[in-house]
Amino acid sequence: MTFLDYLVLVVYFLAMIVIGAICARWIKKQEDYFMGGRGFGKLLQTFAAFGAGTGSNDPIQVGRTTWTSGLSGIWSVLLWLFATPFYWICAVWYRRMRLLTLGDWFVERYESKSLGAAYTVFGISFYVFYLSAMFSAISKVLAPMLQVEAGVPVPWSAAPIELKWLLIPTIAFVVITYSVLGGLRAAYWTDLIQGLCIIFLSIILIPVGLNALAQDSVEAGNREAATVSVYDGFEVLHERLTPEYFQIVGGPAAGEFPLHFVLSLIVLVIVGIVVQPHFIATGGGSAKTENSARIGLVVGNFLKRFCTIGWALTGLIALAYFAGNPRIESDPDYVWGVASRELLGPLGFGLVGLMVACLLAALMSSTSAYMLVSSALVTRNIYAAYINPQASETRYVLVGRLTGLIIIVGAALVSLSLYDVFAQFLLAVELPIIFAAPFWVGMYWRWATKWAAWLTVLLATFVFFVVPPLAPQVFPEMLKNSKWTETNIRTTTLLNRPATQADVQRREAQRELWEEKRQEAEALSDPSKRREAIDALAPQPEPLKVGEMIEDRFVSGGKPVFWTGPATPIGEAMFIETSRSEHDGSITIVEKRSGEVTVSGLFRVDFLIYRALGFDLTQMSDAMLTTLRLPARIIIPFIVMIALSLITPRNSTEALDRYYARMKTPVNPDPEEDRRQLDAVYADPHCHDDRRLIPALGLEIQRPRVSDVVGVLVCLVVSVAFIGLAVWLAGIGG
């Protein structure tokens, strides 16, 4: 990076802090700090939803999964696409709640302060893992951009320090400064600026990368320099990558996103996203009107879907242009950082610094919102509920400012210890199932009870998040017992085809990595360990030429059915071939493991259900096993919640009447008029009962209005159009 790049970064950081200082003047009470006074219009709500929902890990994650799975890797972030039409409905919920946190919602709906406190613990845990994924991602991507992959030299240390140890505290300081000073208002105004930065980073690498591919083709003598264009870049993209890399689902035979997995993830996020704590603010609760809440949430998230397509296309370009890069070959999380450095660096004008600022913007826009929501939860549902219920508004704001540090420190610690972007992301996606069933059932069913909600939360936490890591600690013999160490079939797909330029580059990268490992082995001082390390090396890959026939070998399976970790053979490893088939020039070999193994990882306790139902899990693919984890996690909590609600004492009729009456009452943008309107409704809480779709069995489902139906249908059409746009863009030049 040049002086101009660093100057861009300094200006950006200072601008964020100044915004926080300016916005601090408007803060007088909790609603000002945590909700910005509920006075935001469509523009700020749009960029708030966009900024809070778009983290620095998103482009990096799509870059990684596109590198490994082709265009289908887009689903690592696009899986929220079909949740967007539902946002048209749920944005109204959050505005009509008229609350400061979702913890307040659980307190009111179930008349339980302790349930609100439990939700606070969940909210902090959720953000710790979600933000830790962002911290890990930004650290990995900036290392090559700042050219400090080997570490940052510092005066007080003999050895270079990893970038993450300096970067994460710096980011935390800036975010804490402007968020603590200016609250949600500062977060929203910075989201507006940061949102524009995110859109810029989503598209800038596409034309530059396509031009680089075209120029590379010119240098190879395949095109005339005078006629080269961006379209030539698309053509080169298809020349260097095989057609399977352009499939929207499936992709390479070892792809991570087959159709059934994508569909199950979509259902999971729709069920769980409604209880993500920031949704009560960025999802519409801070908007001035219901219409602003709806438009802001939907348009903001569609902006993210647009950017996601840009990230996937950038990933494909990187896959074609940087196939020979050993850094990416060893860790695909570095795709975005290497691409930014190599493509933007030669152009100058501070573009690398601007890209760094844009990535930091993506991180900081989410971090500020999450920090404020977490501090609101602690302030409202722990401090005000149990410690000092009579505190002044000034004291509550002060507590909120201080407790915001919890989420930042926790996320940083998890990031530094786990440092696996995709694993941290998947854990964060699954955590909301703990409170999803109590929220959904309580929203639409009057008979849902406090005790049912509590037992459902405890059951989901215990079964899905406590037993899996605890089981191997309590019963270590399970790790070697053949009853629990079954592995699924191993499937090998062989495909012979001519090598492309990308294949040649990738082979050279593999040869370089092999040579690095050989040198590391020979550098060992212990002769026996040196010989052991050298003997353990596979043969060095042979050089490759364009057009030379190569064999693609996609291997999946051979993994434990009941465990998330690998299976290690006890003695000689054996696989027995059970079938062989040939189709369209490819050969598929299916093998079953023979011999004893020891396993590791987390225990998939929900798979006991499939065994009881007679499923032969050993015949399932890796992707199918991953998919099967999701139905039980979605369905079981709902069954438990409904069943227990039928046999446990119901909540008070008066509290339920007030709650459902308020949720049916449209918001008036004038706070005083809105309060008068609510007082009238509380006096006659059944005045809106004529809008119930099913006036029986305690159901509180309202008849949809024309605007509801039209809005959802339009959003659904736009969602499908986004998939069409992604396929069309990837197909240009094919």
Side-chain angles (χ1 to χ4, degrees):
M1 285 178 51
T2 65
F3 171 77
L4 189 56
D5 293 318
Y6 286 108
L7 180 62
V8 169
L9 279 178
V10 171
V11 170
Y12 168 73
F13 280 136
L14 289 176
M16 298 300 102
I17 293 173
V18 168
I19 289 173
I22 294 174
C23 291
R25 295 182 300 171
W26 278 278
I27 296 175
K28 305 297 182 186
K29 54 185 179 179
Q30 291 182 82
E31 194 169 59
D32 297 332
Y33 186 68
F34 296 129
M35 284 291 179
R38 301 189 197 273
F40 299 112
K42 300 179 183 66
L43 179 64
L44 286 180
Q45 282 293 140
T46 294
F47 279 94
F50 177 55
T54 307
S56 57
N57 62 312
D58 290 331
I60 298 161
Q61 187 168 287
V62 174
R64 172 221 177 257
T65 52
T66 304
W67 182 276
T68 57
S69 301
L71 183 61
S72 67
I74 196 174
W75 292 107
S76 62
V77 170
L78 200 64
L79 56 90
W80 274 281
L81 175 65
F82 287 102
T84 314
F86 173 71
Y87 292 167
W88 186 257
I89 303 299
C90 73
V92 176
W93 299 350
Y94 299 115
R95 187 61 186 92
R96 289 189 183 181
M97 286 178 187
R98 301 168 172 90
L99 300 171
L100 293 180
T101 72
L102 276 176
D104 290 343
W105 184 90
F106 282 97
V107 170
E108 180 181 17
R109 172 58 183 84
Y110 291 108
E111 299 175 86
S112 171
K113 288 196 303 182
S114 59
L115 199 58
Y119 180 83
T120 299
V121 174
F122 151 75
I124 292 174
S125 303
F126 171 78
Y127 285 137
V128 162
F129 283 103
Y130 205 77
L131 275 176
S132 72
M134 297 184 189
F135 283 146
S136 296
I138 197 73
S139 179
K140 284 191 173 186
V141 79
L142 291 189
M145 292 176 69
L146 299 174
Q147 297 180 319
V148 290
E149 295 168 81
V152 182
V154 292
W156 62 85
S157 175
I161 293 178
E162 284 187 73
L163 177 65
K164 61 184 179 182
W165 295 102
L166 298 177
L167 180 67
I168 293 175
T170 302
I171 294 171
F173 171 77
V174 176
V175 171
I176 289 170
T177 300
Y178 75 73
S179 297
V180 165
L181 286 174
L184 195 69
R185 190 183 300 272
Y188 275 20
W189 276 106
T190 54
D191 279 351
L192 175 59
I193 298 170
Q194 292 164 340
L196 297 174
C197 291
I198 295 168
I199 295 172
F200 173 81
L201 80 84
S202 303
I203 61 177
I204 184 59
L205 287 175
I206 296 174
V208 176
L210 290 172
N211 182 67
L213 282 173
Q215 294 299 328
D216 207 33
S217 182
V218 170
E219 292 176 9
N222 298 325
R223 280 171 173 75
E224 295 291 335
T227 60
V228 75
S229 65
V230 169
Y231 183 81
D232 289 280
F234 278 107
E235 288 187 335
V236 176
L237 189 63
H238 284 270
E239 290 169 6
R240 294 190 176 186
L241 302 178
T242 54
E244 60 186 4
Y245 280 95
F246 297 91
Q247 296 175 16
I248 192 70
V249 290
E256 301 164 279
F257 299 95
L259 181 60
H260 52 76
F261 184 45
V262 170
L263 292 176
S264 62
L265 275 178
I266 289 172
V267 174
L268 177 66
V269 298
I270 290 176
V271 170
I273 200 167
V274 292
V275 292
Q276 290 187 7
H278 62 277
F279 255 60
I280 195 167
T282 61
S286 58
K288 187 173 185 178
T289 66
E290 292 181 5
N291 201 36
S292 294
R294 278 180 153 173
I295 292 175
L297 185 57
V298 168
V299 175
N301 279 278
F302 273 138
L303 273 177
K304 180 178 178 179
R305 315 307 173 221
F306 170 77
C307 291
T308 305
I309 296 173
W311 303 333
L313 190 56
T314 300
L316 288 174
I317 293 169
L319 186 60
Y321 190 72
F322 297 105
N325 188 284
R327 195 74 181 93
I328 304 176
E329 188 67 26
S330 64
D331 188 349
D333 282 342
Y334 287 93
V335 167
W336 202 275
V338 172
S340 299
R341 181 187 67 194
E342 298 298 325
L343 294 175
L344 298 180
L347 299 179
F349 304 108
L351 287 177
V352 174
L354 185 56
M355 176 60 76
V356 173
C358 291
L359 287 167
L360 291 174
L363 171 65
M364 292 161 61
S365 61
S366 301
T367 304
S368 58
Y370 299 166
M371 188 188 82
L372 287 165
V373 171
S374 298
S375 64
L377 284 169
V378 174
T379 302
R380 296 284 305 162
N381 304 118
I382 293 181
Y383 183 79
Y386 292 100
I387 300 174
N388 192 354
Q390 305 302 322
S392 64
E393 289 291 310
T394 303
R395 172 58 63 88
Y396 285 139
V397 170
L398 176 61
V399 172
R401 283 175 162 150
L402 294 176
T403 55
L405 298 173
I406 296 174
I407 180 66
I408 304 297
V409 173
L413 292 176
V414 171
S415 174
L416 294 171
S417 59
L418 189 54
Y419 213 53
D420 184 333
V421 177
F422 200 48
Q424 292 159 246
F425 162 76
L426 287 177
L427 181 58
V429 167
E430 292 182 5
L431 271 176
I433 62 172
I434 294 174
F435 278 88
F439 181 86
W440 279 99
V441 178
M443 180 66 69
Y444 286 116
W445 194 35
R446 184 178 279 262
W447 295 357
T449 71
K450 173 182 71 175
W451 297 110
W454 252 119
L455 291 170
T456 301
V457 166
L458 293 174
L459 177 76
T461 303
F462 184 74
V463 172
F464 300 129
F465 299 100
V466 175
V467 171
L470 194 62
Q473 305 298 322
V474 178
F475 305 105
E477 63 275 10
M478 294 177 67
L479 300 173
K480 295 182 179 180
N481 189 323
S482 59
K483 181 180 180 180
W484 305 110
T485 58
E486 292 180 319
T487 59
N488 63 336
I489 56 175
R490 185 172 73 174
T491 303
T492 304
T493 302
L494 307 176
L495 176 64
N496 288 304
R497 60 175 179 81
T500 66
Q501 180 64 33
D503 294 318
V504 174
Q505 293 174 314
R506 192 172 295 112
R507 179 66 61 85
E508 286 304 310
Q510 293 167 355
R511 287 171 58 81
E512 287 184 37
L513 289 173
W514 185 93
E515 182 61 29
E516 288 178 9
K517 290 180 180 178
R518 185 190 65 79
Q519 292 177 4
E520 290 174 2
E522 291 185 344
L524 294 173
S525 57
D526 188 319
S528 61
K529 290 184 178 180
R530 181 168 62 246
R531 173 48 53 190
E532 183 181 343
I534 293 174
D535 291 343
L537 288 174
Q540 184 179 24
E542 294 294 328
L544 190 63
K545 296 180 180 179
V546 174
E548 182 180 334
M549 294 302 293
I550 61 171
E551 181 184 77
D552 279 337
R553 178 180 290 264
F554 302 107
V555 182
S556 65
K559 298 177 181 177
V561 167
F562 286 99
W563 304 87
T564 59
T568 304
I570 300 176
E572 185 178 356
M574 292 180 60
F575 280 93
I576 301 173
E577 184 175 321
T578 59
S579 67
R580 179 182 291 254
S581 59
E582 190 169 347
H583 179 70
D584 291 340
S586 66
I587 299 174
T588 301
I589 304 169
V590 178
E591 302 166 289
K592 188 171 183 178
R593 186 188 292 273
S594 174
E596 295 182 347
V597 298
T598 179
V599 297
S600 61
L602 307 179
F603 181 58
R604 292 168 170 164
V605 63
D606 39 328
F607 276 28
L608 295 175
I609 297 173
Y610 298 117
R611 171 176 275 185
L613 293 174
F615 281 72
D616 186 358
L617 298 173
T618 63
Q619 299 300 309
M620 306 290 183
S621 66
D622 292 346
M624 181 57 75
L625 287 177
T626 304
T627 303
L628 286 176
R629 293 177 63 244
L630 304 179
R633 291 167 179 253
I634 296 170
I635 297 171
I636 290 176
F638 280 88
I639 294 175
V640 171
M641 180 71 195
I642 293 170
L644 291 176
S645 291
L646 294 173
I647 61 175
T648 52
R650 295 180 188 173
N651 290 86
S652 68
T653 301
E654 181 183 356
L656 290 172
D657 285 345
R658 283 178 63 87
Y659 165 73
Y660 285 111
R662 189 177 73 251
M663 291 299 293
K664 297 173 189 176
T665 305
V667 171
N668 190 303
D670 183 340
E672 292 300 325
E673 185 59 35
D674 191 57
R675 274 191 286 271
R676 285 192 290 270
Q677 181 177 278
L678 282 178
D679 289 340
V681 171
Y682 291 153
D684 183 14
H686 297 285
C687 61
H688 293 302
D689 282 359
D690 60 319
R691 294 206 53 79
R692 292 169 70 184
L693 185 64
I694 306 174
L697 301 175
L699 294 174
E700 290 288 350
I701 304 172
Q702 307 302 299
R703 289 201 308 273
R705 302 177 187 274
V706 174
S707 59
D708 299 331
V709 176
V710 172
V712 170
L713 290 177
V714 170
C715 291
L716 189 60
V717 170
V718 174
S719 298
V720 174
F722 270 103
I723 296 178
L725 177 62
V727 173
W728 176 74
L729 285 172
I732 296 175

